[in-house]
Amino acid sequence: MLVILADQLTRIMESVFEAYLGPDSVLASAVGQAVGSGEPEDIPKRNTDVWVLGKRYNAIQELDVIRRDIQSRLWCTYRHGFMPLGEVQLTTDKGWGCMLRCGQMVLAQALIELHLGRDWFWTPECQDATYLKIVNRFEDVRKSYYSIHQIALMGESQNKAVGEWLGPNTVAQILKKLVLFDDWCSLLVHVAMDSTVVLDDVYSLCLEGDSWKPLLLIIPLRLGISDINPLYIPALKRCLELDSSCGMIGGRPNQALYFLGYVEDEVLYLDPHTTQRTGVVGQKLNAGEQEHDETYHQKHAARLSFSAMDPSLAVCFLCKTSDSFQQLLDKLRQEVLGMCTPALFEISQTRAVAWDTAEDIEWPTMPDIDWPAGASDTDSFAIVEESAREGDAAGSSKTSERAAV
């Protein structure tokens, strides 16, 4: 009886989410309209270059290959019907989990390229053991290393409640922690803070003697106040052209998206804003598991003008070896960072000295000041308590990341 009531309550909650948040996915509706009128409009039908995660294609001559490449990426979307999550017992991440799903997609791409190679393509019949290990890690069950449960609960360590929206930087910090529990993935994550790649930090993380641990480098950026500064767009394009590119975690205002390439002045993306039923791929031994595997793949990317992107994003790169990391640094210095002023980000050998050594600083003598009339030493003076300052700081940090669902 209790099981039946719980199931009914779950369906009611999901219907409430559906009614409140409205229809899913601009991508799904756009593709649906295009299918109704003929050919999907995911790639422009003209003789131009299309870049997808460091690979260049021709939009007309290689359209099928472009779609196969995009379809081979893991498409992580909203799900409903998973085991209750958090104190509020959420069974769907619709409305709050889109940035988490984008984090899943960039990590999945790093694992696919690391373990299967950039030239690997997915097919509905694929039962490759390595691929299945990867996709199993993103199933929305508690035991999966990168499930919505693991990411949301780890977010609590970053002072983010389950069901609260997370920004690109917070998601990157969570992924950095989660990969440490997964020995098979053989991947480390470094998050370059303050728009600076500190080489000493990277080498101390990835180098053990002469051995290099594969690295997913995530660089969170803020490229404007409310709109992206157009001077950064050529550098962002060049990042997507590099063969080490794992795309970008970002979006447009109020929507998180996974950017994986571009064509002309439009960025290509996979959209997590489609709600699908939770299930397992397992070993693809039956029709249900095979069908569920197909829900992780979408061959039609959507397009968005670079100028419409939200200014908060994170560029991501995979460095399998120390040589590939050095090659990335050379290309960034020679081909990316000089494209705009100020540069997209900085590369520094060491971390800047923290300004917390007041005892080592010789402060100048304060001059005598003629205070205005009415000021006196007897005027009331209040000390702001530590808890109040911490509360203000927490409030300001929450407003620094734009809400996206």
Side-chain angles (χ1 to χ4, degrees), residues 108-244:
Q109 172 54 28
L111 293 178
I112 287 173
E113 184 168 347
L114 178 61
H115 294 285
L116 293 170
R118 181 63 186 86
D119 296 326
W120 176 85
F121 280 173
W122 174 87
T123 64
E125 298 77 25
C126 176
Q127 289 185 303
D128 181 274
T130 300
Y131 164 72
L132 292 175
K133 281 185 178 181
I134 294 172
V135 72
N136 291 161
R137 280 164 161 70
F138 295 90
E139 295 170 343
D140 286 321
V141 294
R142 290 176 179 173
K143 65 180 181 180
S144 296
Y145 285 99
Y146 312 115
S147 67
I148 194 73
H149 298 76
Q150 297 290 356
I151 296 177
L153 294 175
M154 185 63 76
E156 292 186 327
S157 69
Q158 302 290 316
N159 298 318
K160 295 289 186 178
V162 173
E164 184 178 354
W165 180 83
L166 308 182
N169 176 53
T170 304
V171 169
Q173 297 291 347
I174 291 171
L175 298 179
K176 176 181 178 179
K177 293 183 178 182
L178 287 178
V179 296
L180 299 178
F181 297 95
D182 183 7
D183 293 334
W184 179 84
C185 80
S186 303
L187 183 71
L188 294 173
V189 175
H190 177 69
V191 184
M193 299 303 297
D194 301 320
S195 302
T196 304
V197 179
V198 179
L199 299 184
D200 285 352
D201 292 347
V202 174
Y203 292 133
S204 64
L205 176 68
C206 296
L207 278 179
E208 285 189 356
D210 295 330
S211 177
W212 173 272
K213 296 180 180 178
L215 169 69
L216 174 59
L217 176 62
I218 302 178
I219 310 173
L221 302 171
R222 180 79 184 187
L223 304 179
I225 300 175
S226 58
D227 300 303
I228 193 166
N229 190 324
L231 70 85
Y232 292 113
I233 291 176
L236 292 177
K237 289 182 178 180
R238 188 69 188 106
C239 286
L240 291 168
E241 296 173 7
L242 300 179
D243 54 12
S244 57

Side-chain angles (χ1 to χ4, degrees), residues 89-371:
Q89 297 289 280
L90 295 172
T91 58
T92 179
D93 63 313
K94 182 175 181 178
W96 58 272
C98 57
M99 188 62 77
L100 282 68
R101 299 302 184 180
C102 292
Q104 286 179 322
M105 285 190 268
V106 74
L107 179 58
Q109 172 54 28
L111 293 178
I112 287 173
E113 184 168 347
L114 178 61
H115 294 285
L116 293 170
R118 181 63 186 86
D119 296 326
W120 176 85
F121 280 173
W122 174 87
T123 64
E125 298 77 25
C126 176
Q127 289 185 303
D128 181 274
T130 300
Y131 164 72
L132 292 175
K133 281 185 178 181
I134 294 172
V135 72
N136 291 161
R137 280 164 161 70
F138 295 90
E139 295 170 343
D140 286 321
V141 294
R142 290 176 179 173
K143 65 180 181 180
S144 296
Y145 285 99
Y146 312 115
S147 67
I148 194 73
H149 298 76
Q150 297 290 356
I151 296 177
L153 294 175
M154 185 63 76
E156 292 186 327
S157 69
Q158 302 290 316
N159 298 318
K160 295 289 186 178
V162 173
E164 184 178 354
W165 180 83
L166 308 182
N169 176 53
T170 304
V171 169
Q173 297 291 347
I174 291 171
L175 298 179
K176 176 181 178 179
K177 293 183 178 182
L178 287 178
V179 296
L180 299 178
F181 297 95
D182 183 7
D183 293 334
W184 179 84
C185 80
S186 303
L187 183 71
L188 294 173
V189 175
H190 177 69
V191 184
M193 299 303 297
D194 301 320
S195 302
T196 304
V197 179
V198 179
L199 299 184
D200 285 352
D201 292 347
V202 174
Y203 292 133
S204 64
L205 176 68
C206 296
L207 278 179
E208 285 189 356
D210 295 330
S211 177
W212 173 272
K213 296 180 180 178
L215 169 69
L216 174 59
L217 176 62
I218 302 178
I219 310 173
L221 302 171
R222 180 79 184 187
L223 304 179
I225 300 175
S226 58
D227 300 303
I228 193 166
N229 190 324
L231 70 85
Y232 292 113
I233 291 176
L236 292 177
K237 289 182 178 180
R238 188 69 188 106
C239 286
L240 291 168
E241 296 173 7
L242 300 179
D243 54 12
S244 57
S245 173
C246 272
M248 303 177 188
I249 305 173
R252 56 184 162 197
N254 303 318
Q255 281 192 324
L257 305 167
Y258 173 49
F259 302 123
L260 74 169
Y262 80 93
V263 52
E264 297 176 343
D265 290 323
E266 294 179 306
V267 62
L268 298 173
Y269 65 87
L270 290 177
D271 188 348
H273 298 86
T274 294
T275 307
Q276 304 186 88
R277 169 68 65 176
T278 297
V280 295
V281 175
Q283 300 302 305
K284 294 181 68 173
L285 299 178
N286 56 57
E289 291 180 343
Q290 293 169 8
E291 290 175 2
H292 193 68
D293 180 41
E294 294 181 19
T295 69
Y296 282 96
H297 298 276
Q298 165 64 264
K299 71 176 180 180
H300 300 295
R303 289 180 281 153
L304 176 73
S305 171
F306 273 95
S307 61
M309 292 170 58
D310 190 279
S312 291
L313 56 88
V315 293
C316 309
F317 304 96
L318 176 66
C319 301
K320 301 179 185 179
T321 65
S322 58
D323 287 343
S324 65
F325 179 63
Q326 187 57 54
Q327 291 169 9
L328 173 63
L329 293 178
D330 293 342
K331 290 182 179 180
L332 290 173
R333 287 167 171 151
Q334 297 167 12
E335 304 174 20
V336 175
L337 301 184
M339 297 185 75
C340 53
T341 303
L344 191 64
F345 54 85
E346 297 181 358
I347 299 174
S348 174
Q349 185 65 44
T350 59
R351 181 176 297 280
V353 177
W355 288 92
D356 59 354
T357 55
E359 65 276 7
D360 296 331
I361 301 175
E362 294 184 3
W363 297 101
T365 303
M366 293 297 292
D368 293 331
I369 299 175
D370 293 325
W371 297 102

